[in-house]
Amino acid sequence: MGEQTHHKEETMALRIPKAELPAELKETMIAQLGTVPENVEVLWHSPQVTQDNLEFGAKVGAWDAAEESLKSFAHMAVAAQVGCSWCLDVGYFQAQNQNLDLTKASQVPRWRESELFTPLERDVLEYAEAMTNTPPTVTDELYAGLLDRLGPAAMVELTALIAYVNLATRANVANGVRSQGFSDACEIPLAAGSDTSGVASTA
């Protein structure tokens, strides 16, 4: 039992030690999220990568052609598929602050079995997973259906967002960054992922 616990702790540990952030950046992070995100501390070994990542993440967050709820669901679908518990945690934290339907947000990891999502939301979730598959499995039919309902600007934005979230989630998983408990403030926990679903932002 002790050996199993030790192994679990090893597999969930950061693969690179945290770097010490400048006091001003640390204060900004605490003001925004209540704590310092571990992925920022990890990335700070390269301040340039960190700053560029934060700046681009802020630009992504400011895009406004696509509906915020659709983008949040897409973000969470990618995080669930890639296995980024940190991103799911923050996605859920952000969902609470964006006044999303928390019951619906909690079902994103098992959206195929849930009856809560609209046809458009289901297609967005499917699109996020299809883009995240390796190689991608986006079909002409799925893309055309979303383009018809969203319009060109929102479609381009949604696609770029999903691509960016893939970058961020995969970096977090590779670096060993795990959930920090941001979703502890939420009353509804995330549902367990579906077996059929496939494998901020500091995202």
Side-chain angles (χ1 to χ4, degrees), residues 157-177:
E157 180 177 306
L158 178 66
T159 301
L161 170 86
I162 293 168
Y164 171 73
V165 172
N166 262 274
L167 178 156
T169 57
R170 292 174 188 276
N172 284 340
V173 170
N175 286 327
V177 176

Side-chain angles (χ1 to χ4, degrees), residues 24-145:
E24 185 177 347
L25 179 58
K26 186 180 291 187
E27 290 171 8
T28 299
M29 292 291 166
I30 291 172
Q32 289 178 348
L33 292 170
T35 188
V36 179
E38 286 188 341
N39 58 350
V40 176
E41 293 175 299
V42 165
L43 290 180
W44 194 254
H45 287 288
S46 172
Q48 182 176 357
V49 169
T50 309
Q51 294 288 6
D52 289 348
N53 185 64
L54 290 172
E55 287 175 14
F56 188 65
K59 289 180 179 181
V60 170
W63 295 344
D64 61 1
E67 186 182 329
E68 286 300 318
S69 63
L70 294 178
K71 291 189 289 185
S72 289
F73 291 154
H75 183 152
M76 296 172 76
V78 172
Q81 187 171 348
V82 171
C84 181
S85 60
W86 193 95
C87 305
L88 267 178
D89 202 9
V90 171
Y92 198 51
F93 175 82
Q94 290 175 333
Q96 185 184 41
N97 289 321
Q98 292 168 353
N99 298 315
L100 288 181
D101 181 328
L102 293 186
T103 303
K104 189 178 285 188
S106 75
Q107 296 298 305
V108 168
R110 61 174 300 277
W111 67 268
R112 281 182 170 81
E113 288 75 36
S114 175
E115 298 179 356
L116 296 177
F117 296 97
T118 67
L120 176 58
E121 290 166 345
R122 294 177 70 81
D123 283 352
V124 166
L125 290 163
E126 182 178 352
Y127 183 60
E129 289 186 354
M131 275 191 64
T132 304
N133 288 336
T134 304
T137 57
V138 176
T139 65
D140 290 344
E141 181 182 17
L142 177 61
Y143 192 98

Side-chain angles (χ1 to χ4, degrees), residues 6 47 84 166 174 182 195:
H6 179 64
C84 181
N166 262 274
F182 292 105
D195 289 338

